[in-house]
Amino acid sequence: MSRAETFILRAVVSVLCCAPGLACSQAERPRHDLFAKPAPAAMQRVKHQADAEPAVREVPWTPQLRAVMVAGPDSMVNVDGAMVRIGEELRGYRLVEVRDGEAVFAKGGKRFTVAMRGGAPDPEETREKR
């Protein structure tokens, strides 16, 4: 190996050895301790924000009844493109009854009738059949 080649090889090795050090010195350091316990005032602020805003907002359900198949216990409906049989749920609403041109869903002790013409469900009083 010539003297020039040896010099170039040493220069390349020394640059490669210094490169990781350069990367570390350029990295931004955190401005605070990530593992420090939060102050009690900050925790109270977070609790009040959580109490003020509900975690989940329920979106109103506006189903569109597209088709009805009345077949006794095997009845099913097409709501918003989804096929639902009696006893199955769709967005938390359980299909309890299928009538000619209507579907009756139940949720939270209330019954909702959805007609073929579409629109929002009409809540009915819970009726128990005797």
Side-chain angles (χ1 to χ4, degrees):
M1 224 192 240
S2 71
R3 245 179 127 166
E5 291 174 337
T6 306
F7 177 76
I8 292 172
L9 182 62
R10 285 184 182 173
V12 168
V13 170
S14 61
V15 167
L16 290 176
C17 289
C18 294
L22 291 174
C24 290
S25 65
Q26 293 175 354
E28 187 176 324
R29 295 179 186 239
R31 295 182 182 167
H32 62 279
D33 185 5
L34 300 174
F35 300 102
K37 193 172 184 179
M43 291 299 292
Q44 289 176 354
R45 212 175 25 237
V46 170
K47 286 181 185 177
H48 292 303
Q49 288 174 353
D51 292 340
E53 298 176 17
V56 176
R57 294 181 185 160
E58 189 170 331
V59 178
W61 188 45
T62 56
Q64 181 182 4
L65 186 62
R66 296 182 182 179
V68 173
M69 184 179 83
V70 180
D74 296 324
S75 298
M76 51 192 325
V77 296
N78 183 327
V79 179
D80 297 331
M83 297 300 294
V84 183
R85 295 176 187 265
I86 289 184
E88 293 181 347
E89 288 189 11
L90 179 67
R91 293 190 57 183
Y93 293 85
R94 181 175 300 278
L95 180 63
V96 293
E97 187 179 348
V98 177
R99 301 182 208 143
D100 195 25
E102 292 182 332
V104 181
F105 290 88
K107 181 177 181 180
K110 293 186 178 181
R111 294 168 65 101
F112 301 90
T113 301
V114 182
M116 287 288 285
R117 62 185 174 273
D122 299 322
E124 299 176 352
E125 293 296 320
T126 305
R127 299 181 201 155
E128 294 182 16
K129 293 186 179 180
R130 297 180 188 189

